[in-house]
Amino acid sequence: MTSRFNMRSLILSTGATLLLPLLILFSLFLLLRGHNEPGGGFIGGLVAAAAISLKLFAEDYRAARTMLRVHPLQLVGVGLVLAAGASLPALFVGESFFTAQWWTLNLPILGSLKLSTPLIFDIGVYLGVVGSVLTVVFTLAEAEHS
Amino acid sequence: MVMIAVLSCFVLAALAPRLHSLTGRQTGWLLALLPAAIFLYFASLIPLISSGETVRHAYQWLPSMAIQFSFLVDGLSLLFVLLISGIGFFILAYAGRYQEGHPALGRFFLFLLGFMGSMLGLVLSDNLISLFVFWELTTISSFMLIGFNHEDDDTRKKAHQGLMVTVFGGLALMTGFIMLGMAAGSFELSEILAGPSLTEHSLYLPMLGLILLGAFTKSAQTPFHFWLPNAMAAPTPVSAYLHSATMVKAGIYLLARLHPTLGGSASWLTILTLIGALTMLTGIILASRSTGIKRVLAYSTVMALGTLTMLLGLGTEKAALAAVTFLLAHALYKGALFMIAGILDHEAGVKDFRDVSGLRRLMPKTTLAAMLAALSLAGVIPLFGFIGKELLLEAVLSGSRWQLGLTIATVTANIFVVLVGALLALKPWFGKTITTPKAAHDPGPALLAGPLTLAALGLLFGLMPAIPADYLLRAAASAVYGEPVSGTLALWHGINLPLMLSVLSLSLGLLLYRFWTGWREHTIFIERLSQFGPEAGYNKLMQGLVSFSTWQTKTLQNGNLRHYLITTLATVVLLVGWAVLRLDKIALNIDFSGLQLQEVTVVGLLLITVLAAVTAKSFLVSVALIGALGFGVALIYVFFSAVDVGITQVLVETITVLLLVLVLYRLPEFRQLSSRANRARDATIALLSGGLITVLILLVTNASSMNSISSYFLEKSVSEGYGRNVVNVILVDFRALDTLGEIFVLALVAIGVYSMMHLRTGVLPVTNADKRHAVQKQREKSAKTGVKP
């Protein structure tokens, strides 16, 4: 059964296939650069959600759902756990709840890598946003599909 | 170590269901090891505490709000801890056997251990706030326990009743605690108690009223006594635990704890002694009329709680000693008697005094335990209950006010107590043997260990009262009284007035026992009175609440989106507008200089888009135009170098358009359905709220004091947040807690949409033809009734 929105436009589906990996990559790029340049978990998450929705419109609900592999609500769960979990490390070093913690890793060839709880938190936000938006989009599209 | 004792209960509670599936039958005994260990640890503190020392442990919790996780062990908390853990040991073993084979036994242990931990935390807390947290935890876990057999409608109702009454009191208590903390200048009990008495403080009366409300609801004082007998819907081990040592004594604990600071005033004396005496009489008279074994016990618990409140109200040195002695005696015999009631139910299948008689030969060990405990309840020499009763009479006789009235009340109550004691000590065991539904026999050690030990302790303490007095009770009474108490306990005080009053009530009580049936028949009017009682009031109140919320839901939440918008916007316009109009001067500096061409262009475009959107003739067009509006706003953000906000705006608009397109399909075709007047009203509200927001923004931008926080963020972003993107640093670091809340809201929305779409069953039409048909019908219907779809 085809959806009413699924016009099966060749241009759209070819374009989507090419754009999708770039968009996902771009969303990750936005997520990681967010601390210093415009970007961040919220924006990155929205881009990723839009990218997967593009797949949904270019092909159909099943294709998008298969591509994601997991249920979007699971992403929400993981995201919330990461974001909430980022509040805890501070407690172990005796600082108050949610104080940002920074660790610098010196990698042999790549140079130093700075990791922090705000980064974990931002990844949590990213997953939470992708998951929530896609849950809504998929649920509505699924109702359409049946 | 004290903290470990409290927290270990919660940890074990979380593990209990898993453990139960591993260890099966023996889980009860296994879990009982924890309270046993706690008991032994605290017992090792007895020498220290009885010499007048206290132990205090504090851990920082929220230092910025002066909330500590602090624990205080003194005579009073030690007495309670030993009762909670000691009786808890027997209850866990007992429950393991009593509830054996119940499919949710693991969960039962979870609640029971959670309750134990909350109760320990409550009596050990030195901080008012953490005490309050534990207080509420006992409420919640006892709700779970009372409503454990939740498939039963009646059980749910009763659990709900207990919850409502105690939560109501808890709310009052919290307010009272905050006042107390403010008045005393500290939230630490040890500091409050060391400080001066607060009876002269200006907040004293409201504070006292609120705290008493909390304590009275928890400890089932008249007129809140009705929830306690109804809590008997719980499995018997729960009743035994909640009504012997714990839950209902929490209120008594609180009164005893705060007595040095809040006690001694005329209002304290009046309220506590009168309410206490009233509760005492109400409880025991209702007990004498009941026939259900557990019900009789529950009402006699109400009586005991009233007695304790009365004694704390008197507040003399003697009364303090009498209160802790009575409390210990009551915990011992009531714990035993409830467990015996459970044994009668479990092994013989009887729940009512009228159905049981002559089990003495079939259940000799149970009979022994029951008689010891019941005689202690009746206050017969040489059991510990006798000492408790003598002290009670002495305290009442030497009280500072209403000696005669209170003595008469106490003696009257004691007559009925003897009746109840006789019922428990004689009725099931002596006389002609009635065949019981199950073949009656003595149970195994898991069920019998508790009643036998507790009843034997009642005898031991009665014969050697110096043991509890020296090791425990004097220290506890000192904590209640606020100064060291020197009294001692003795079985024989010589022939004096209390003894004669005891003999009087004993003989009258036994006489009443002979005519128990007649007494019940002659007092049937009490049953008729109950329709005017507090429980009827409670039911009326609940019904009223339900009909009120039905009414307000129908009015405010009627499912019409336009209605929601109108209500929300009109409320905002009225309240905020009123606040704005009340400002002294409204200075709106509107300055058009420095305006740039691109800004004017974008704003002009926005205005055109808005006009087009509100006059659009199809859904798709209006959705697209609203999207365009969002993009235009994003451009404005970019002009003011809020790139992040701009990007977010663009993305949100994109996603919104996507979502709208997905739901668009579900909407009926675009038609003009509202009347001209309706549209005029909507336009007015829209213009008013838009105008108000504009005024607000102008006011805010003109206010200069708003700059401080943003400059702080700009300054600290790199140095403390290690990020150059201030917006992001605010989101993930400075204000991470807000963001966390926001993504939780987002997740809730997603779950909401998901469940609404998946749970609906055939409410929304599925095929297009169905849909059109339904829309058509809806229109016809609304045309008739005049209600907008």
Side-chain angles (χ1 to χ4, degrees), chain A residues 4-5 30-31 33-44 46-47 49-50 53-54 56-57 71 73 76 79-80 83-84 87 97-100 102 114 117-119 121-122 124-125 128-129 131-133 135-144 146, chain B residues 63 643-645 647-649 651-652 654-655 657-666 717 720-726 728-729 731-733 735-741 743-751 753-758 760 766 768 771-772:
Chain A
R4 198 161 108 169
F5 304 112
L30 280 175
L31 162 69
R33 84 199 279 256
H35 217 57
N36 288 322
E37 307 291 335
F42 192 79
I43 294 177
L46 287 176
V47 169
S53 308
L54 181 67
L56 173 97
F57 280 92
H71 194 285
L73 272 178
V76 177
L80 291 184
S87 63
F97 183 69
F98 245 130
T99 309
W102 291 79
K114 274 203 281 185
T117 54
L119 180 66
F121 183 79
D122 224 9
V125 172
V129 170
S132 302
V133 173
T135 304
V136 177
V137 169
F138 281 5
T139 309
L140 293 174
E142 191 184 15
E144 195 54 51
S146 54
Chain B
V643 188
D644 275 274
V645 190
I647 299 176
T648 314
Q649 175 78 17
L651 288 166
V652 168
T654 314
I655 303 269
V657 171
L658 281 181
L659 289 176
L660 280 174
V661 167
L662 281 172
V663 254
L664 209 57
Y665 182 59
R666 302 218 147 254
S717 177
E720 296 198 352
Y722 304 110
R724 288 191 302 277
N725 179 356
V726 187
N728 191 262
V729 174
L731 282 177
V732 300
D733 193 342
R735 284 293 168 87
L737 196 60
D738 293 1
T739 314
L740 187 67
I743 60 171
F744 267 94
V745 170
L746 201 60
L748 276 178
V749 170
I751 294 169
V753 172
Y754 182 81
S755 37
M756 274 204 288
M757 293 297 282
H758 281 263
R760 80 201 153 98
V766 179
N768 292 347
K771 190 157 46 180
R772 267 180 231 114

Side-chain angles (χ1 to χ4, degrees), chain B residues 105-411:
Chain B
L105 189 53
R107 200 174 64 207
F108 181 77
F109 282 127
L110 189 161
F111 296 147
L112 202 57
L113 281 164
F115 178 78
M116 188 184 290
S118 323
M119 205 58 215
L120 286 173
L122 197 164
V123 298
L124 285 167
S125 283
D126 190 30
N127 186 286
L128 283 180
I129 304 292
S130 56
L131 192 156
F132 176 74
V133 170
F134 285 117
W135 178 282
E136 291 298 61
L137 279 175
T138 63
T139 303
I140 294 166
S141 48
S142 67
F143 169 67
M144 297 295 193
L145 286 168
I146 297 171
F148 183 65
N149 295 320
H150 58 87
E151 291 88 357
D152 180 29
D153 203 30
D154 194 43
T155 303
R156 281 206 306 276
K157 218 176 86 191
K158 288 171 170 170
H160 196 237
Q161 190 182 54
L163 182 75
M164 281 298 159
V165 174
T166 44
V167 161
F168 161 71
L171 218 55
L173 182 70
M174 183 179 72
T175 326
F177 272 181
I178 293 172
M179 287 184 181
L180 174 60
M182 280 160 49
S186 165
F187 280 94
E188 297 299 305
L189 274 170
S190 45
E191 288 171 26
I192 295 173
L193 294 174
S197 162
L198 293 176
T199 46
E200 300 299 318
H201 196 275
S202 58
L203 279 177
Y204 176 67
L205 276 182
M207 167 167 54
L208 180 70
L210 290 165
I211 291 177
L212 289 186
L213 207 53
F216 285 178
T217 46
K218 195 83 160 182
S219 282
Q221 301 292 306
T222 308
F224 305 110
H225 63 271
F226 58 90
W227 74 264
L228 198 151
N230 286 341
M232 292 298 126
T236 305
V238 175
S239 312
Y241 200 35
L242 262 61
H243 298 146
S244 57
T246 54
M247 166 88 167
V248 295
K249 296 251 174 79
I252 300 298
Y253 167 79
L254 190 69
L255 296 178
R257 175 53 86 210
L258 295 176
H259 174 256
T261 306
L262 297 181
S265 71
S267 19
W268 171 281
L269 183 71
T270 315
I271 301 174
L272 264 74
T273 43
L274 290 189
I275 295 276
L278 188 63
T279 309
M280 174 173 81
L281 286 172
T282 316
I284 199 63
I285 286 174
L286 290 173
S288 75
R289 290 203 23 80
S290 305
T291 58
I293 303 176
K294 276 176 80 178
R295 221 173 167 75
V296 169
L297 287 171
Y299 276 127
S300 90
T301 304
V302 173
M303 174 267 168
L305 296 169
T307 310
L308 288 167
T309 307
M310 181 178 79
L311 283 172
L312 290 169
L314 290 174
T316 55
E317 189 175 339
K318 208 160 243 164
L321 190 63
V324 291
T325 311
F326 192 85
L327 187 132
L328 175 62
H330 176 256
L332 294 176
Y333 66 69
K334 199 49 75 64
L337 287 172
F338 263 116
M339 288 194 252
I340 287 162
I343 291 175
L344 278 173
D345 188 5
H346 198 257
E347 308 297 337
V350 285
K351 295 181 160 109
D352 195 296
F353 276 119
R354 288 169 300 185
D355 304 336
V356 60
S357 176
L359 291 180
R360 172 175 40 118
R361 283 195 197 81
L362 298 170
M363 307 171 92
K365 291 178 197 151
T366 317
T367 310
L368 176 69
M371 286 194 65
L372 281 177
L375 292 177
S376 185
L377 178 144
V380 173
I381 202 162
L383 293 141
F384 196 51
F386 171 76
I387 299 176
K389 196 170 72 173
E390 296 298 284
L391 280 173
L392 161 68
L393 285 166
E394 272 179 42
V396 170
L397 283 168
S398 64
S400 55
R401 230 198 273 186
W402 304 309
Q403 290 96 333
L404 186 64
L406 291 178
T407 309
I408 292 173
T410 311
V411 173

